[in-house]
Amino acid sequence: MRIRSTGLVLFAGLSIILGACSPAASSSAPASAAPETAAPETAAPTVAAPSSDLKIGVVTDVGTVNDKNFNEYTYVGAKDGASAIGATEPPVVVPTSDADYEPLLQAYVDQGFDVIVATGFNLVPATAKLAKANPDI
């Protein structure tokens, strides 16, 4: 009984959070007609596209970039994120063996990249080592 109650409480809490975070529903009610004496429409202010100087790089796990798994989804996410902030499309490198992880990550550090995305749990030791040595990246 206690497990069921806990599960229901967690489900209700998650539902509330998702409801609060979801976009507002659009109204299907028709807009009222504007009176003939209404002021002329003014152009909406233009919003400048975001721009960022961040250099972002991606190191995948061994395999291919288009693996329909971690490598591909991580690279697509990095590209989408870079696009969203106005940064250039990130380059991606694919190691041929486990021994390539640290040198490829270090190459991005040496080239002055601001954000380095490492794909998968196999890169954790090399990523953690370089993250500790380079806390600003």
Side-chain angles (χ1 to χ4, degrees):
M1 181 72 176
R2 181 179 175 157
I3 293 173
R4 177 183 252 177
S5 297
T6 304
L8 289 174
V9 169
L10 290 174
F11 179 77
L14 182 60
S15 297
I16 291 170
I17 291 171
L18 287 175
C21 294
S22 66
S26 61
S27 173
S28 60
S32 61
E36 291 184 34
T37 59
E41 291 185 29
T42 58
T46 57
V47 178
S51 176
S52 176
D53 294 335
L54 287 177
K55 287 177 68 177
I56 303 169
V58 179
V59 179
T60 69
D61 200 350
V62 175
T64 64
V65 174
N66 300 325
D67 66 353
K68 305 284 188 232
N69 209 335
F70 290 117
N71 289 345
E72 182 174 349
Y73 298 139
T74 301
Y75 182 55
V76 169
K79 285 190 339 184
D80 290 348
S83 175
I85 64 169
T88 59
E89 184 172 315
V92 60
V93 292
V94 181
T96 56
S97 75
D98 296 354
D100 294 338
Y101 297 151
E102 190 171 338
L104 291 174
L105 291 166
Q106 184 63 51
Y108 277 146
V109 170
D110 295 342
Q111 293 172 35
F113 278 74
D114 302 298
V115 177
I116 303 169
V117 181
T119 307
F121 58 88
N122 290 331
L123 279 88
V124 169
T127 303
K129 177 182 175 184
L130 291 173
K132 287 177 185 175
N134 303 282
D136 294 335
I137 298 176

